[in-house]
Amino acid sequence: MSKVALVKEGNIAIISVQRPEALNALSREIVDEMDVLIEEVKKDADLRCLIFHSEKNFAAGADIKAMAGCNEEEAKAFGFSDVYDKIAELPIPTIAAIEGYALGGGMELAMTADMRIAGESAKMGFPEVTLGIFPGAGGTIRVPKLVGPAFAKELIFSGDAVSAERALQMGLVNRVVADNQVLEEAKKLAGRIAKRGPVAVRMVKEVITRGLEEPDVNKGAAMEAEQWAKLFNTYDQKEGMKAFMEKRKPVFENR
Ligand code: DAK
């Protein structure tokens, strides 16, 4: 039976893991199912934002029981990075809406998203070292980029889970809301993003991603300027500025 669901609400998609009996721990099969749904999201030109949200617990990590007996080759095959990288590279913005536990491979999934919203009793961390391993699905790369090396090392070396409030202080999450408001807040944010010029939103996501990988600020700024100017070939730029001058709301056409 399928353990991952994709729901579309207008131009917003929500992907959820449905394995409550194991606190939504992620098996290779679950991540493979997610992969199929990500392909569907990629093909749907009407979608403007993707939310990851699972009831009660975001995901208590990769499935330890499935991983326990792996040898080196099997451990490589278990890896989620192929799918996680695909999620990080999605052209539309993504939001992780975190309730309950987001641990290990679950937190690494949340880290592939562009933004994170946490419920006030969420617990987040990287307990891998308590199991004799370390985060291997992008955590060692994405966490230091997000919160800096010192907080990343504190989280990863200690294996301690942190509260939503502490995660907010570190910059691990964008905002903290009441537990029962997590998905609503994510939908509200997604809804606002969905109203903006879609070509500009997609392009600026790519510019930010490429900019973060570009160590030379001047080269980064040159790339930004080039992409920015390209928007003046789009219908949506003409419509957005015309609507401003005509004092009405723009009607973007994603072109
Ligand atoms: N895997 C499998 N089952 C899990 C699980 C997990 N990660 N987390 C929870 N469960 C299962 C429990 O085994 C239990 O099922 P039964 O044994 O009763 O059948 C059920 O969910 C409820 O859990 P608890 O009874 O333990 O619930 P509690 O409320 O008492 O405790 C807890 C909640 C989250 C503190 C505890 O369940 C816990 O410590 N869970 C493990 C958390 C964890 O260590 N997560 C990190 C896993 S390691 C890589 C790819 C991926 C990764 C690394 C590399 N590449 C190949 C390079 C990722 C690694 C990880 O995520």
Side-chain angles (χ1 to χ4, degrees):
M1 211 185 79
S2 174
K3 287 195 162 45
V4 191
L6 169 65
V7 174
K8 294 179 189 175
E9 292 184 12
N11 47 16
I12 296 165
I14 304 162
I15 286 185
S16 55
V17 177
Q18 295 172 343
R19 195 189 176 198
E21 70 283 5
L23 314 184
N24 294 324
L26 303 163
S27 61
R28 181 68 234 188
E29 291 72 27
I30 288 179
V31 175
D32 285 342
E33 273 186 52
M34 208 177 272
D35 192 16
V36 174
L37 299 180
I38 293 298
E39 287 300 328
E40 191 179 329
V41 167
K42 270 168 85 174
K43 282 190 204 124
D44 189 335
D46 292 333
L47 290 177
R48 299 284 176 268
C49 195
L50 170 64
I51 298 170
F52 288 90
H53 170 264
S54 301
E55 292 279 334
K56 289 203 173 122
N57 290 290
F58 189 78
D63 191 324
I64 301 169
K65 294 168 191 172
M67 216 181 343
C70 286
N71 61 29
E72 187 175 346
E73 283 313 305
E74 289 162 344
K76 274 187 196 157
F78 191 90
F80 299 166
S81 296
D82 50 344
V83 179
Y84 282 14
D85 290 349
K86 204 185 273 187
I87 296 169
E89 285 158 17
L90 278 172
I92 56 170
T94 53
I95 303 171
I98 304 172
E99 285 181 43
Y101 288 110
L103 300 173
M107 194 58 195
E108 286 174 303
L109 173 62
M111 303 297 301
T112 67
D114 297 310
M115 298 154 279
R116 280 151 293 281
I117 296 176
E120 53 198 4
S121 59
K123 289 189 177 59
M124 287 159 273
F126 299 91
E128 283 87 343
V129 291
T130 70
L131 299 164
I133 57 170
F134 63 76
T140 67
I141 310 302
R142 291 196 178 98
V143 186
K145 278 192 180 167
L146 188 65
V147 301
F151 282 143
K153 286 174 180 172
E154 181 182 337
L155 285 165
I156 293 171
F157 293 167
S158 72
D160 293 337
V162 292
S163 66
E165 208 47 52
R166 181 77 183 123
L168 183 65
Q169 286 167 2
M170 287 180 176
L172 203 54
V173 299
N174 293 52
R175 63 177 87 163
V176 177
V177 299
D179 288 325
N180 61 4
Q181 289 301 306
V182 174
L183 182 56
E184 276 318 300
E185 276 294 314
K187 283 188 193 174
K188 276 189 210 157
L189 177 57
R192 288 199 300 281
I193 292 169
K195 288 198 193 108
R196 310 310 181 212
V199 183
V201 171
R202 274 200 312 277
M203 207 184 261
V204 76
K205 174 166 171 171
E206 196 191 333
V207 165
I208 294 170
T209 304
R210 284 170 59 188
L212 282 168
E213 283 155 11
E214 174 54 70
D216 184 327
V217 175
N218 294 331
K219 276 193 194 157
M223 179 271 298
E224 177 198 59
E226 196 176 323
Q227 296 302 101
W228 182 82
K230 280 185 186 157
L231 288 169
F232 288 76
N233 290 322
T234 67
Y235 171 89
D236 285 352
Q237 174 271 323
K238 307 291 173 228
E239 166 62 10
M241 294 192 180
K242 193 161 170 261
F244 171 79
M245 291 184 287
E246 292 172 359
K247 300 189 187 299
R248 61 173 174 82
K249 288 209 171 11
V251 182
F252 292 120
E253 293 194 1
N254 193 21
R255 62 187 174 94

